[in-house]
């Protein structure tokens, strides 16, 4: 089953002509010539219908935010009235709770104070195209008569740097020319103090390859970017650069920030001035008509567009890449490069089923960024750790409804990683600062190889040791801290060594696995060749006996089956021993099937689960007929589950427990209730009263349970059979239970203002399910279940 990815980014062409004649422009200077037949300016009816389509798409997919870029041609040629109309139509069409990130991208020639006043009023952020100093910019960005555009662009940037307009400045876009001096380009850009710079590879294909001057090396684009990267790092990253940051992020398992790197599915749509929908503009460089979809804003929805084969091809992750790319060691970061750059038309060329024409450059760039050892701005060792409460209002509202987009769950993950760091520092400090060599190595690696440290500290059980020590449990000693440092050293592969205690015959390396060794102390070294462990008896081992095992799911997502970490006992239930080969196969099949079911039955939850669930910890089975699952508060990203009999039940348990994971992270950031409240509250589904947090956690988890049974009920609409009858019974019961629990929370008098906001959000999510009609037999069965429960 393929889950359709909603579109969240939209390029709206305001004007199809330009006042410059840039010779590297993909719109006018490459293979596609469709601009010649399009109206110069987008019409009012098209703008209104486009806003309506975006609004209905946002509502249907519960999008917390959409980004719209007003583009061209040169969008300022459309004039202030048309730009105002676009902004007002878009804002009016979005559903409540969906934020609009509205931007305009311009060459800056026409930008004036009047335009800036308009954009300040409408909340439009402004991006400017600029290729560097005058010599670099004039190489391509000139007027048709050959005049330089550089002075006008600098004037535009100066306007955006004024205090009144600084908040509008989105950044600069710089297209690379390897014959420009990278140092001069960087210095010219950094002087302008932009908030961000996007360095773009010039669009090219295998049919029309990029220039590679013979005086430069085999990877001139990587060399150019790495020269900029070194200056950027030395200057302590004075502005954001999505290319560099995406390399760092994807190597740590996070999402890319740009379509040109990483395996995240494309979520972009383009609306032309004639009302037709197109794919990404970059495809104009492939062949005439390459971006065309045959769809238009009047006759087709954005779901129609999301289902177009060309869009789907850019949403298929690793499976959508050619064989060469799928086996490449840097594919997670590279992602095959920009889709348009893979095109080849000659006999046997395969169309887009090729590596990028920049393949060698991308490999060199990713390895070069990863290997960089320059100084990175980090807090002083004794500085108070900063734990960011980095959730925007729309993200809090989205979480209040029970959902969580990838961006929102990643924000929770960042806050949890910061909290883990803070807790580790506090636990080490409270210990009398033993194992100083391990702590010093972690600190050194955090500067030299931060991705390696982050990958280890983001493991769900990395902070379990710190939480226990801070709670007064000193029984585990400082060995787990040394193990974290050793695992980071192995990942960094710089040759660092650290001593790690071996207890109970096992040396455990978090995120990697364990190996059997005699008790004592082993020295772990991470080298370019891999792992080297010298045991206390002098023997040297280079392989793990029991590596951490991962399951690859649809879309290139992987989860770890954590059955070796000694701190996985953080769950409330007994954990399973190491899985046998047969048990591993059973888990693999069940997880793959349950993930497909989640995408079908709980699409609003699946995106967040994919973004945040990294680990499934197998638990021991409970009493016969009882499903067992849990989430540990100090283990963000992990759920514990005893594998149930069916994949649908596993899907339900995954969704239920990940709700606890999300809410726990929210509670680490903010107070939803009065922590001093000691009243006990009955949950409709439990016989015993619980503290308010228990009722809150249960209610939040059962939002997903309600929707799970609701979607299955709708899927069985009108169909007979026990499965359909059970879905209706469970849905009737759980929608009542959840709605009742929400009202009990809201009426407790113990919720904070934000807690009441969460209650409102949960109420809004349950309300539509309460309105779904059900057969009388299902309602009667729910009544019986409630009475039986009450009798207990």
């Amino acid at each position: 089953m393929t889950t359709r990815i909603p579109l969240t980014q939209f390029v709206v062409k305001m004007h199809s002509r330009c006042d410059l004649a840039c010779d590297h422009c993909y719109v006018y200077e490459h293979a596609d010539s469709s601009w010649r037949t399009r109206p110069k300016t987008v019409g009012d009816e098209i703008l209104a219908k486009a806003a309506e389509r975006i609004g209905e798409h946002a509502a249907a997919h519960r999008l917390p935010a959409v980004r719209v870029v007003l583009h061209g041609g040169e969008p300022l040629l459309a004039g202030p009235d048309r730009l105002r109309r676009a902004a007002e139509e878009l804002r009016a069409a979005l559903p409540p709770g969906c934020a609009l990130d509205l931007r305009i991208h311009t060459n800056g020639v026409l930008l004036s104070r009047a335009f800036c006043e308009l954009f300040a009023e409408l909340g439009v952020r402004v991006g400017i195209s600029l290729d560097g100093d005058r010599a670099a910019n004039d190489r391509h960005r000139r007027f048709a008569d050959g005049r330089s555009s550089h002075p006008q662009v600098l004037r535009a940037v100066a306007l955006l740097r004024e205090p009144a307009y600084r908040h509008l400045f989105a950044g600069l876009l710089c297209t690379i020319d390897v014959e420009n001096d990278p140092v001069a380009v960087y210095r010219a850009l950094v002087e302008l103090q932009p908030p961000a710079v996007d360095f773009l590879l010039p669009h090219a294909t295998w049919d029309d390859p990029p220039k590679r001057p013979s005086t430069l090396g085999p990877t001139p684009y990587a060399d150019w970017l790495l020269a900029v990267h070194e200056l950027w790092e030395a200057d302590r990253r004075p502005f954001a650069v999505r290319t560099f940051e995406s390399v760092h992020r994807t190597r740590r398992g996070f999402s890319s920030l740009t379509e040109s790197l990483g395996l995240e599915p494309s979520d972009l749509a383009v609306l032309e001035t004639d009302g037709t929908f197109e794919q990404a503009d970059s495809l104009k460089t492939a062949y005439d008509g390459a971006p065309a979809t045959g769809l238009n804003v009047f006759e087709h929805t954005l779901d129609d567009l999301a289902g177009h084969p060309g869009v789907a091809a850019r949403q298929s992750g690793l499976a959508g890449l050619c064989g060469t790319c799928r086996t490449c060691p840097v594919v997670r970061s590279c992602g095959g490069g920009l889709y348009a750059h893979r095109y080849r038309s000659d006999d046997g060329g395969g169309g887009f089923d090729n590596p990028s024409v920049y393949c060698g450059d991308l490999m060199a760039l990713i390895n070069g960024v990863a290997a960089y050892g320059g100084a990175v701005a980090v807090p002083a060792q004794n500085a108070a750790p900063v734990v960011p409460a980095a959730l925007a209002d729309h993200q809090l509202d989205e979480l209040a409804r029970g959902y969580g987009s990838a961006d929102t769950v990643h924000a929770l993950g960042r806050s949890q990683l910061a909290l883990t760091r803070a807790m580790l520092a506090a636990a080490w400090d409270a210990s009398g600062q033993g194992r100083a060599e391990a702590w010093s190595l972690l600190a050194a690696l955090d500067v030299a190889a931060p991705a390696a440290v982050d990958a280890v500290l983001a493991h769900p059980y990395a902070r379990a040791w710190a939480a226990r020590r801070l709670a007064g449990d000193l029984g585990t000693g400082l060995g787990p801290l040394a193990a974290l440092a050793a695992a980071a050293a192995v990942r960094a592969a710089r040759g660092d060594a650290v001593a790690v205690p071996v207890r109970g015959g096992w040396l455990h390396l978090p995120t990697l696995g364990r190996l059997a060794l005699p008790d004592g102390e082993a020295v772990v070294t991470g080298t370019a060749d891999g792992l080297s462990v010298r045991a206390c008896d002098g023997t040297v081992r280079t392989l793990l006996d029991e590596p951490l095992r991962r399951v690859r799911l649809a879309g290139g997502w992987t989860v770890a089956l954590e059955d070796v970490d000694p701190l996985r006992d953080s769950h409330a239930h007994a954990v399973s021993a190491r899985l046998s080969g047969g048990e591993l196969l059973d888990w693999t099949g069940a997880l793959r099937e349950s993930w497909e079911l989640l995408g079908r039955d709980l699409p609003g939850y699946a995106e967040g689960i994919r973004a945040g669930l990294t680990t499934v910890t197998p638990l021991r089975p409970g009493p016969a007929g009882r499903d067992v699952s849990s989430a540990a508060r100090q283990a963000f990203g992990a759920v514990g589950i005893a594998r149930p009999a069916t994949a649908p039940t596993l899907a339900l348990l995954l969704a239920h427990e990940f709700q606890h994971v999300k809410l726990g992270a929210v509670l680490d950031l903010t107070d939803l209730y009065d922590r001093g409240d000691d009243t006990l509250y009955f949950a409709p589904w439990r016989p015993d009263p619980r503290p308010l947090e228990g009722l809150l956690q249960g209610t939040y988890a059962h939002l997903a349970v309600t929707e799970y049974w609701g979607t299955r009920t709708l899927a069985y609409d009108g169909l007979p059979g026990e499965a359909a009858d059970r879905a209706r019974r469970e849905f009737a019961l759980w929608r009542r239970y959840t709605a009742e629990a929400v009202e009990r929370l809201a009426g407790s008098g113990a919720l904070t203002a934000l807690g009441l906001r969460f209650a409102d959000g949960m109420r809004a999510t349950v309300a539509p399910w309460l309105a779904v009609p059900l057969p009388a037999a299902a309602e009667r069965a729910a009544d019986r279940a409630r009475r039986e429960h009450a009798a207990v």
Side-chain angles (χ1 to χ4, degrees):
M1 182 195 70
T2 300
T3 300
R4 185 170 295 175
I5 306 297
L7 304 172
T8 65
Q9 300 187 70
F10 306 94
V11 172
V12 176
K13 298 298 188 73
M14 300 300 298
H15 203 280
S16 65
R17 304 297 190 269
C18 189
D19 46 2
L20 291 183
C22 307
D23 60 15
H24 56 10
C25 179
Y26 55 80
V27 176
Y28 307 111
E29 301 295 335
H30 283 252
D32 186 83
S33 60
S34 57
W35 63 272
R36 297 180 185 276
T37 61
R38 292 199 167 104
K40 291 183 178 180
T41 307
V42 65
D44 290 347
E45 289 186 13
I46 292 173
L47 280 178
K49 194 63 179 180
E52 178 187 334
R53 291 297 192 199
I54 293 171
E56 69 184 13
H57 192 71
H61 294 279
R62 299 190 183 99
L63 299 180
V66 296
R67 172 177 289 185
V68 179
V69 180
L70 306 179
H71 212 285
E74 170 48 52
L76 295 184
L77 289 172
D81 292 343
R82 189 56 48 92
L83 295 174
R84 174 185 290 279
R85 186 178 184 89
E88 291 175 346
E89 292 275 10
L90 288 163
R91 290 196 188 281
L94 289 181
C98 181
L100 175 62
D101 179 1
L102 185 57
R103 304 183 178 217
I104 189 167
H105 194 87
T106 170
N107 59 36
V109 169
L110 295 178
L111 190 68
S112 64
R113 195 170 300 277
F115 271 124
C116 288
E117 289 291 338
L118 176 69
F119 298 150
E121 176 191 347
L122 299 175
V124 181
R125 301 189 67 202
V126 184
I128 300 282
S129 294
L130 177 66
D131 289 349
D133 58 7
R134 180 161 185 157
N137 201 66
D138 284 355
R139 190 182 292 273
H140 301 286
R141 297 189 185 275
R142 291 178 173 270
F143 289 95
D145 60 7
R147 286 180 297 121
S148 170
S149 66
H150 193 252
Q152 291 92 327
V153 181
L154 290 188
R155 185 184 67 241
V157 174
L159 266 175
L160 292 173
R161 291 177 61 191
E162 291 183 10
Y165 308 129
R166 180 75 191 182
H167 66 289
L168 303 177
F169 194 7
L172 301 173
L173 184 150
C174 173
T175 300
I176 298 166
D177 188 311
V178 291
E179 292 183 314
N180 287 332
D181 179 358
V183 175
V185 168
Y186 172 81
R187 293 298 182 208
L189 298 179
V190 80
E191 285 179 7
L192 300 178
Q193 298 179 320
V197 176
D198 273 349
F199 292 102
L200 301 186
L201 294 170
H203 288 315
T205 67
W206 289 101
D207 290 357
D208 185 15
K211 66 179 179 181
R212 297 185 180 276
S214 59
T215 56
L216 302 177
T219 57
Y221 293 90
D223 298 342
W224 196 99
L225 280 166
L226 288 171
V228 171
H229 178 260
E230 184 173 1
L231 295 168
W232 181 70
E233 291 281 16
D235 287 347
R236 297 176 178 266
R237 303 183 180 184
F239 44 71
V241 179
R242 289 193 302 170
T243 298
F244 302 152
E245 291 164 359
S246 292
V247 172
H248 289 300
R249 287 173 59 86
T250 51
R251 292 187 69 252
R252 292 152 57 188
F254 296 121
S255 61
S256 173
L257 301 174
T258 171
E259 187 185 10
S260 61
L261 292 172
L263 290 170
E264 281 68 41
S266 171
D267 59 358
L268 174 70
V270 178
L271 179 75
E272 290 288 352
T273 57
D274 60 358
T276 56
F277 286 128
E278 287 200 339
Q279 301 174 64
D281 264 8
S282 56
L283 288 173
K284 293 180 185 294
T285 200
Y287 57 87
D288 199 9
T293 64
L295 308 179
N296 68 77
V297 73
F298 294 105
E299 299 174 356
H300 304 94
T301 69
L302 287 169
D303 275 340
D304 293 333
L305 180 61
H308 185 275
V311 177
R314 293 161 51 240
Q315 295 187 336
S316 51
L318 193 64
L321 301 182
C322 69
T324 301
C325 290
R326 289 198 296 271
T327 60
C328 177
V330 300
V331 67
R332 292 287 164 191
S333 289
C334 170
L338 197 67
Y339 190 73
H341 295 172
R342 309 172 199 170
Y343 183 72
R344 186 170 196 157
S345 67
D346 55 10
D347 290 343
F352 294 99
D353 190 28
N354 299 289
S356 169
V357 73
Y358 289 105
C359 180
D361 290 281
L362 292 172
M363 171 78 81
L365 172 66
I366 291 164
N367 288 333
V369 169
Y372 180 79
V376 178
V378 294
Q381 183 170 331
N382 297 322
V386 177
V387 181
L391 288 176
D393 280 349
H394 74 270
Q395 291 176 316
L396 285 168
D397 288 335
E398 177 190 336
L399 289 163
R401 293 286 301 268
Y403 303 108
S405 67
D407 285 345
T408 297
V409 174
H410 284 150
L412 289 177
R414 290 191 295 271
S415 72
Q416 289 289 293
L417 181 57
L419 182 58
T420 296
R421 289 171 171 273
M423 291 174 67
L424 286 171
W428 179 68
D429 188 63
S431 72
Q433 299 190 352
R435 290 279 167 188
E437 75 285 356
W439 183 260
S440 296
L441 177 57
L442 269 176
L445 291 174
D446 206 20
V447 174
V453 176
D454 281 356
V456 172
L457 299 191
H459 187 57
Y461 304 115
R463 83 167 183 236
W465 165 78
R468 295 178 187 184
R469 288 190 72 82
L470 292 173
D473 178 6
L474 305 181
T476 56
L478 296 176
L481 177 67
L484 290 171
V490 172
R491 286 179 170 275
R494 301 190 320 157
D496 300 290
V498 63
V500 183
V502 180
R503 300 288 183 265
W506 290 101
L507 171 70
H508 176 254
L509 297 175
T511 73
L512 300 174
R514 65 181 182 178
L515 63 165
L517 293 175
D519 282 3
E521 196 160 78
V523 177
V524 179
T525 305
T527 71
D529 295 325
L531 170 72
S532 174
V533 179
R534 181 176 295 277
C536 62
D537 61 1
T539 59
V540 176
R541 303 281 300 281
T542 58
L543 295 174
L544 295 168
D545 295 302
E546 295 183 352
L548 180 63
R549 296 183 290 204
R550 300 180 184 276
V551 176
R552 186 180 301 277
L553 303 177
W557 176 43
T558 61
V559 293
L561 272 173
E562 180 57 272
D563 56 1
V564 295
D565 193 315
L567 294 173
R568 71 190 189 281
D569 62 359
S570 302
H571 292 276
H573 301 278
V575 298
S576 168
R578 177 73 167 180
L579 298 175
S580 67
E583 290 170 328
L584 175 63
L585 290 175
D586 289 341
W587 264 107
T588 299
L591 283 170
R592 287 174 175 166
E593 186 178 349
S594 67
W595 175 238
E596 291 193 5
L597 292 171
L598 281 169
R600 184 194 72 186
D601 294 337
L602 289 174
Y605 294 86
E607 179 185 357
I609 293 171
R610 188 183 194 279
L613 180 64
T614 62
T615 303
V616 174
T617 296
L619 303 179
R620 292 182 184 173
R626 179 188 168 198
D627 294 317
V628 175
S629 63
S630 72
R633 179 63 179 277
Q634 301 296 346
F636 179 82
V639 298
I641 296 176
R643 186 174 62 81
T646 67
T649 302
L650 179 56
L652 177 59
L653 294 176
L654 287 169
H656 176 277
E657 296 303 337
F658 195 71
Q659 290 293 95
H660 291 307
V661 171
K662 289 190 298 187
L663 185 59
V666 171
L667 291 171
D668 283 337
L669 290 173
T670 188
D671 287 329
L672 298 184
Y673 63 91
D674 178 5
R675 305 276 177 165
D677 179 65
D678 57 3
T679 306
L680 297 180
Y681 300 84
F682 280 96
W685 51 84
R686 291 180 64 105
D688 55 323
R690 311 188 69 202
L692 187 65
E693 183 175 345
L695 177 60
L696 176 61
Q697 285 276 7
T699 307
Y700 196 73
H702 285 113
L703 291 175
V705 174
T706 299
E707 187 156 333
Y708 173 84
W709 289 115
T711 55
R712 291 182 78 80
T713 294
L714 295 177
Y716 288 127
D717 187 29
L719 297 177
E722 174 53 30
D725 290 342
R726 185 197 174 196
R728 295 172 190 129
R729 291 195 304 268
E730 296 287 350
F731 178 42
L733 180 64
W734 285 108
R735 69 179 181 176
R736 292 192 198 179
Y737 275 166
T738 308
E740 183 180 335
V742 170
E743 298 311 320
R744 194 165 295 176
L745 280 169
S748 69
L751 296 184
T752 64
L754 187 55
L756 289 170
R757 185 166 150 192
F758 260 65
D760 287 342
M762 290 190 286
R763 184 185 293 114
T765 295
V766 176
W769 294 116
L770 294 173
V772 174
L774 284 175
E779 296 287 12
R780 288 195 298 271
D783 286 336
R784 284 195 301 272
R786 287 167 62 85
R787 287 194 298 269
E788 291 168 3
H789 171 74
V792 175

